[in-house]
Amino acid sequence: MPKTFYVTTPLYYVNAAPHIGHSYTEIAADCLARYHRLKGETVFLLTGTDEHGQKIEQAAAASGQPPQLFVDGVVARFKELWTLLNISYDDFLRTTEPRHVRVVQACLSRLQQEHKLHHATYQGWYCTPDETFWTNQELAELAVAGTVSTSCPTCQRPLEAVSEEGWYLPLENHRLWLQHFLATHPTFVRPETRYNEIASLVNRPLPEYLCITRPRQRVGWGIPVPFSEGHVTYVWFDALLNYISAVGYDVYEQRFAGPWPADVHFIGKDILRHHAVYWPIVLHALGVSNEQMPRLIFAHGWWKVGEQKMSKSLGNIVDPTVVINHVLKGQPFAADVYRYFLLREVPFGQDGSFSEEAILSRLSADLAHDLGNLVNRTLSMIERYCSGKIPEPHAVGCALDDEPLQQAAVGLAAQVEEAMTRLEFSAALERIMRVVTQANRYIEVVGPWRLAKQPEQAPRLRTALSLLAEVMRVMAILLEPFMPSVAQAMWQQLGCGSRPRRLQDTARWHQLPVGQPIGPHPVLFPQVVAEVSG
Ligand code: MSP
């Protein structure tokens, strides 16, 4: 049986409501999951929430609620957003769920029983917003002109000096293994620049240990450490294990019941070190073999607002719900426009800049003017000239202009596949839209309205409209991972109802039944389309 394609998102912290950054990782993961389903594969898309730790405890205290009640409220907001964005997750894991807590505790117990943990007192620096440790050694390596900073090297916020007794996982012990693993798995981390970053990180000594516990009197909100009453689990150790706890990892048997290993872990670049260094080391310490390691960690870039970093203090946090309900007000497929913008605007892996103008301009140019117009014109002409039924093509009607468009549409899936294998969502969309532009140009050149005036050109007219309907069919399939509701609407407008859409059908021609009545076809991207269409 072929392996289930296993895609994960990070587990989002629930100290505040979701924003554009969270939605970006989620939409990318959903897009890939949908693409593999379209290919006929079985897919498992895991998402969820990271609910323990000091930062969440503090946010709950500030809201005057007990932590569990507080996180329940924020989790509901994440789930609502995923519904609004049409995220097709198969499982939503919350780190406060017993099924996860059990696995975390079993992993800790096993590591301790096998003497893989050290008990000691640790001195270092802690960044609460990032829930991340920095050792003196790490800060010294990053010192500028001999001055060691006490600001967080990732987010620049002040670090807190900590000296804590707890349990430690040796990192340096595993370094040579990780170095070799990376060398023999050159695509373990993508994009390549991120791989190089990690490879050079493990070429130097790592901090000797990672503290994986917290004293209960300082952080009360965490998974109790089974062998040490005074400690809870470090939130990162707890959260990373979600990738295996959700798919039925049996810690003692070292067996995976579900779709492990993960085919892609989607993350942002800020949590690369946790995923590409700590996570494989944790798995290695647990006895997981090289063959059972995750296959790919992809670190995407960050969204800024204009040129500024998003932050609470600047008050510029982009709320996807506001963009969808207000900036894109009146759009029947606003959530899909938002998905399209995020996936198309920047090459996946690079940083992006969000602005209302940028999203409105994509809506106007790519969606309303190009895609919307193509769909609208094709269906209106089938309505007008072919009594609203998919016309029959005529061999006699073939002309030189038809061949290149047909070939571009039939060959499009292969081009999309090439881009999607490299997780180049923007490039995949760019290729799809290029064929949309080509089809619009075809309409201008062939001028069906001119043909309609000459009765002897009826076969030619029907052939041209049949070709355009077939192009639209290909688009209604290929756009599904990116804009699921728009693609579904296009499918129904073609009169295909609930018939399944399969990627393999894009390489075949004449798949629409001749005579099939098209459906009602309100414009997909109104307002803007009214301004631009002629
Ligand atoms: N809880 C950890 C992840 C644990 S995974 C086992 C965490 N959570 S987070 O809520 O802070 O971030 C979740 C994801 O959102 C990360 O992939 C992060 O990169 C992404 N983003 C947060 N802000 C972002 C932007 N401004 N732009 C793009 N993505 C960013 O880290």
Side-chain angles (χ1 to χ4, degrees):
M1 215 171 66
K3 181 187 172 301
T4 296
F5 190 78
Y6 181 21
V7 188
T8 71
T9 74
L11 295 195
Y12 307 101
Y13 285 131
V14 285
N15 57 317
H19 58 61
I20 185 174
H22 305 125
S23 72
Y24 188 44
T25 328
E26 196 72 16
I27 288 171
D30 181 62
C31 179
L32 187 69
R34 284 176 180 275
Y35 181 70
H36 280 266
R37 286 192 204 107
L38 203 58
K39 293 212 289 185
E41 292 170 36
T42 309
V43 172
F44 188 75
L45 171 58
L46 173 68
T47 192
T49 40
D50 191 352
E51 305 189 10
H52 294 120
Q54 199 168 0
K55 156 156 125 169
I56 289 166
E57 198 173 28
Q58 286 172 353
S63 79
Q65 286 176 296
Q68 189 65 55
L69 199 64
F70 173 76
V71 297
D72 288 350
V74 184
V75 167
R77 299 190 62 177
F78 272 88
K79 286 190 170 171
E80 272 163 33
L81 179 61
W82 300 160
T83 304
L84 178 66
L85 290 173
N86 222 333
I87 305 298
S88 60
Y89 59 80
D90 297 289
D91 195 359
F92 188 109
L93 185 132
R94 299 181 56 176
T95 55
T96 47
E97 284 177 70
R99 61 170 171 155
H100 174 72
V101 172
R102 258 197 312 271
V103 172
V104 172
Q105 290 186 325
C107 287
L108 284 168
S109 297
R110 192 169 149 225
L111 290 172
Q112 199 251 354
Q113 281 154 17
E114 292 183 350
H115 308 289
K116 288 186 175 156
L117 300 180
H118 287 253
H119 185 230
T121 298
Y122 165 89
Q123 286 183 327
W125 299 87
Y126 198 63
C127 174
T128 306
D130 286 354
E131 298 278 17
T132 297
F133 268 122
W134 294 94
T135 60
N136 287 321
Q137 175 202 334
E138 283 175 300
L139 294 181
E141 278 180 22
L142 296 167
V144 177
T147 311
V148 178
S149 165
T150 52
S151 298
C152 172
T154 311
C155 71
Q156 276 74 50
R157 282 172 284 206
L159 293 168
E160 196 189 322
V162 285
S163 168
E164 274 170 13
E165 167 265 332
W167 294 85
Y168 293 84
L169 177 72
L171 295 179
E172 183 53 20
N173 278 1
H174 297 271
R175 186 166 66 87
L176 288 182
W177 165 77
L178 184 55
Q179 219 175 27
H180 183 256
F181 181 78
L182 282 168
T184 49
H185 297 79
T187 55
F188 179 59
V189 179
R190 291 286 92 176
E192 203 177 347
T193 48
R194 303 290 169 207
Y195 173 89
N196 294 339
E197 234 173 73
I198 294 300
S200 84
L201 191 73
V202 301
N203 278 340
R204 287 174 280 132
L206 290 172
E208 201 154 348
Y209 298 109
L210 174 71
C211 186
I212 58 167
T213 61
R214 290 294 175 270
R216 208 190 267 263
Q217 84 245 43
R218 190 165 70 79
V219 185
W221 184 238
I223 298 181
V225 174
F227 47 85
S228 179
E229 231 176 77
H231 290 99
V232 295
T233 313
Y234 170 41
V235 64
W236 265 105
F237 183 84
D238 154 1
L240 285 167
L241 288 170
N242 90 87
Y243 301 129
I244 57 177
S245 72
V247 292
Y249 179 55
D250 183 326
V251 179
Y252 285 92
E253 296 288 318
Q254 287 187 283
R255 247 186 318 110
F256 294 94
W260 187 261
D263 290 274
V264 187
H265 285 317
F266 279 101
I267 58 164
K269 64 181 183 180
D270 54 315
I271 52 175
L272 178 62
R273 191 165 55 120
H274 305 80
H275 281 82
V277 178
Y278 302 162
W279 178 223
I281 287 180
V282 167
L283 289 170
H284 190 234
L286 285 168
V288 172
S289 67
N290 284 6
E291 291 67 43
Q292 290 285 334
M293 287 288 153
R295 303 215 164 131
L296 169 66
I297 295 163
F298 194 105
H300 64 67
W302 264 45
W303 282 91
K304 289 192 258 172
V305 180
E307 282 317 301
Q308 277 177 325
K309 202 175 162 184
M310 256 190 336
S311 79
K312 246 193 218 156
S313 50
L314 288 173
N316 64 350
I317 299 209
V318 179
D319 177 346
T321 313
V322 172
V323 178
I324 291 167
N325 293 336
H326 297 281
V327 181
L328 300 171
K329 197 165 161 225
Q331 288 299 317
F333 300 105
D336 275 9
V337 176
Y338 179 80
R339 288 174 65 113
Y340 178 85
F341 172 76
L342 292 191
L343 295 170
R344 174 67 186 93
E345 187 73 0
V346 282
F348 200 56
Q350 294 180 20
D351 289 345
S353 157
F354 177 85
S355 69
E356 291 184 7
E357 297 73 48
I359 193 168
L360 290 174
S361 134
R362 281 277 169 205
L363 165 62
S364 162
D366 299 15
L367 298 179
H369 185 267
D370 290 352
L371 180 64
N373 249 345
L374 174 65
V375 170
N376 196 27
R377 294 204 284 182
T378 301
L379 297 174
S380 305
M381 291 189 292
I382 292 178
E383 189 82 70
R384 197 172 314 148
Y385 305 131
C386 309
S387 324
K389 296 200 172 118
I390 300 294
E392 190 178 3
H394 291 257
V396 292
C398 283
L400 276 184
D401 311 309
D402 298 18
E403 187 73 17
L405 181 58
Q406 179 179 339
Q407 275 181 7
V410 167
L412 187 54
Q415 294 203 19
V416 170
E417 168 72 12
E418 200 192 321
M420 291 300 275
T421 327
R422 294 202 290 260
L423 305 190
E424 292 175 356
F425 301 109
S426 181
L429 279 173
E430 194 263 330
R431 278 163 205 162
I432 294 174
M433 296 312 281
R434 221 190 285 161
V435 180
V436 168
T437 306
Q438 189 179 343
N440 274 322
R441 217 175 298 129
Y442 172 87
I443 296 180
E444 295 304 324
V445 172
V446 172
W449 48 90
R450 286 190 294 272
L451 301 177
K453 289 188 187 134
Q454 308 160 50
E456 73 282 5
Q457 292 285 12
R460 172 85 192 103
L461 174 62
R462 284 200 288 275
T463 304
L465 293 181
S466 150
L467 176 64
L468 286 167
E470 283 291 313
V471 171
M472 185 174 150
R473 175 185 65 83
V474 168
M475 298 302 168
I477 297 174
L478 284 175
L479 283 171
E480 197 275 342
F482 306 90
M483 297 192 285
S485 305
V486 166
Q488 177 63 18
M490 286 168 66
W491 196 242
Q492 277 165 353
Q493 293 190 1
L494 279 170
C496 295
S498 55
R499 223 179 303 146
R501 273 169 292 161
R502 304 178 310 172
L503 193 74
Q504 71 207 64
D505 294 335
T506 60
R508 304 195 184 119
W509 210 236
H510 294 322
Q511 294 295 299
L512 289 170
V514 170
Q516 170 170 288
I518 59 170
H521 43 96
V523 282
L524 297 172
F525 309 101
Q527 289 165 354
V528 199
V529 86
E531 284 159 30
V532 292
S533 66

